[in-house]
Amino acid sequence: MRPTEDDVPCARPGPPIGPLGRVVRVPQDPDADEAYRALLPHAHLRELLPDFLCFLVPIAIHELSSASAEHLAALRTELIEDIAAHGDDLMFGGRDQKSARVALVKALAILATAEGGVTILGVHACTEEHEGCPGSFPTGSS
């Protein structure tokens, strides 16, 4: 006899993962997490950044889904440099704030393709089903 979902004490998959991946907010108290507060010192940014990422990362996942491995490798290097050089603009505003935010979105889209996806800055992004996905439903939910 095959076990049913009620017999298996684990999470059920959430909605199918389509061409936009799965990007969800993760439950956390950003004000209680000291490392998160240090990374994003402004409460306003901590509140809004997860929504910003949940909106734009799926679009970036879709846009980068057809990119070649060579293009992604070059893009990774470019994104690392942009984020390292302009992370302060991302957090505090400045001339390069837009490019820093775009770099962050694209970096998360690339990281979403890793096994298990990525969880950072109040969001989880992934492109394939995996165990422990925050986008899965707990057993018993509908």
Side-chain angles (χ1 to χ4, degrees):
M1 185 159 126
R2 187 172 184 198
T4 66
E5 289 179 17
D6 294 332
D7 298 329
V8 181
C10 61
R12 293 183 298 152
I17 297 179
L20 301 178
R22 179 183 289 158
V23 183
V24 296
R25 288 186 71 135
V26 291
Q28 68 179 34
D29 181 2
D31 293 322
D33 184 344
E34 206 170 305
Y36 193 48
R37 278 197 326 266
L39 183 62
L40 298 172
H42 298 292
H44 186 66
L45 183 58
R46 285 194 305 271
E47 290 173 19
L48 297 179
L49 188 60
D51 291 333
F52 171 81
L53 295 173
C54 283
F55 177 72
L56 289 175
V57 171
I59 296 168
I61 288 171
H62 181 64
E63 288 177 348
L64 295 173
S65 66
S66 60
S68 68
E70 294 80 21
H71 175 74
L72 290 176
L75 183 59
R76 273 192 288 273
T77 301
E78 179 184 323
L79 296 174
I80 290 168
E81 291 172 4
D82 283 349
I83 293 170
H86 304 295
D88 55 338
D89 290 334
L90 173 69
M91 294 183 344
F92 304 112
R95 184 182 58 147
D96 296 304
Q97 183 178 32
K98 179 181 177 183
S99 65
R101 287 182 178 176
V102 169
L104 177 63
V105 166
K106 288 182 179 181
L108 290 181
I110 291 172
L111 290 170
T113 65
E115 185 177 333
V118 61
T119 302
I120 190 169
L121 302 173
V123 299
H124 172 80
C126 58
T127 57
E128 296 180 359
E129 288 290 342
H130 60 92
E131 188 174 327
C133 180
S136 296
F137 299 121
T139 299
S141 295
S142 49

